Amino acid sequence: EAGVAQSPRYKIIEKRQSVAFWCNPISGHATLYWYQQILGQGPKLLIQFQNNGVVDDSQLPKDRFSAERLKGVDSTLKIQPAKLEDSAVYLCASSLIAGAISETQYFGPGTRLLVL
Amino acid sequence: AQSVTQPDIHITVSEGASLELRCNYSYGATPYLFWYVQSPGQGLQLLLKYFSGDTLVQGIKGFEAEFKRSQSSFNLRKPSVHWSDAAEYFCAVGARSGNTPLVFGKGTRLSVIA
């Protein structure tokens, strides 16, 4: 089966610009996650969707970050305006069953963002 | 809230040697425990997970991990390392109750030398 797809793979922007990332999860997966992975750190959850509803966005900096999951399938994560500290890899993951943390999460290759 | 510590930032082993990567967690009860591997430029791939039952868990690529409640540890092992095992390894802990997300450690980078 096809894995989690993300685009673009790399993005370089200047601070205060905006940027958007796209994720297409594995077909049929109910839950979608966006993680931020700063260099030298483990992934940190930004937002979790269950179908097209938000389950957890407690760690999403809502003054600059936004995310949506259209029709419970694809998702976009936007940063506006970007700051230097947003430089990181943004990982998208999906899992089959809704609301079960025990479920295996399947990760995409990530989008590497550099903010200058 | 749960937390996880991976004490070793970087480990170098010779090809064919055995490997043990350490993971310690903090949680009030028995958590869900996971090991993921991340190769350069790739996303994370699940190696194995522990929920309950047998404390020795077998995973993919010849890896295993042992849950030790008394030590709050979930160390990853492999008897003979291959050059292709060079990657970043992340331990993660999940709560059995509530709606809290997985918490990942900072990772251990494994280098394999000939």
Side-chain angles (χ1 to χ4, degrees):
Chain A
E1 66 181 0
V4 176
Q6 290 188 247
S7 67
R9 293 295 309 275
Y10 305 93
K11 191 73 177 180
I12 301 175
I13 62 173
E14 295 187 350
K15 60 183 179 183
R16 292 187 289 274
Q17 286 187 324
S18 62
V19 64
F21 312 130
W22 173 82
C23 173
N24 181 233
I26 293 173
S27 177
H29 279 199
T31 308
L32 186 147
Y33 310 81
W34 281 103
Y35 289 89
Q36 180 191 57
Q37 185 178 17
I38 293 173
L39 187 65
Q41 304 287 322
K44 183 187 81 171
L45 181 70
L46 291 176
I47 189 167
Q48 176 185 343
F49 291 95
Q50 188 168 304
N51 297 310
N52 59 353
V54 176
V55 173
D56 183 354
D57 64 356
S58 58
Q59 300 188 94
L60 187 74
K62 299 181 185 64
D63 58 333
R64 298 184 299 105
F65 286 65
S66 64
E68 60 180 4
R69 188 180 185 193
L70 301 174
K71 300 180 182 179
V73 183
D74 292 6
S75 177
T76 56
L77 176 69
K78 298 179 181 178
I79 308 174
Q80 182 179 10
K83 292 185 175 181
L84 298 178
E85 59 261 36
D86 299 331
S87 295
V89 176
Y90 291 85
L91 295 164
C92 180
S94 68
S95 63
L96 179 60
I97 296 177
I101 197 158
S102 56
E103 271 294 292
T104 297
Q105 296 184 28
Y106 296 86
F107 285 79
T111 296
R112 186 175 298 273
L113 173 67
L114 178 60
V115 182
L116 302 175
Chain B
Q2 67 270 34
S3 66
V4 60
T5 301
Q6 293 181 248
D8 304 304
I9 296 174
H10 183 206
I11 285 181
T12 300
V13 300
S14 298
E15 191 169 17
S18 63
L19 170 70
E20 182 168 26
L21 302 182
R22 296 183 291 166
C23 171
N24 294 99
Y25 68 88
S26 174
Y27 184 61
T30 300
Y32 295 127
L33 294 161
F34 307 79
W35 274 101
Y36 281 85
V37 61
Q38 185 177 32
S39 298
Q42 303 294 317
L44 280 71
Q45 180 185 22
L46 181 69
L47 287 175
L48 47 78
K49 56 187 177 183
Y50 172 77
F51 295 158
S52 63
D54 193 346
T55 57
L56 186 62
V57 181
Q58 301 297 320
I60 62 171
K61 304 184 180 186
F63 286 92
E64 66 179 25
E66 185 172 12
F67 169 60
K68 292 186 177 180
R69 185 193 311 273
S70 61
Q71 298 177 21
S72 298
S73 69
F74 189 57
N75 294 349
L76 182 71
R77 301 193 295 248
K78 187 169 184 178
S80 178
V81 169
H82 188 262
W83 64 267
S84 60
D85 293 325
E88 189 94 19
Y89 291 80
F90 294 93
C91 182
V93 58
R96 288 181 180 268
S97 61
N99 190 31
T100 56
L102 279 184
V103 174
F104 287 83
K106 293 186 177 182
T108 296
R109 184 162 63 92
L110 173 65
S111 296
V112 181
I113 58 175

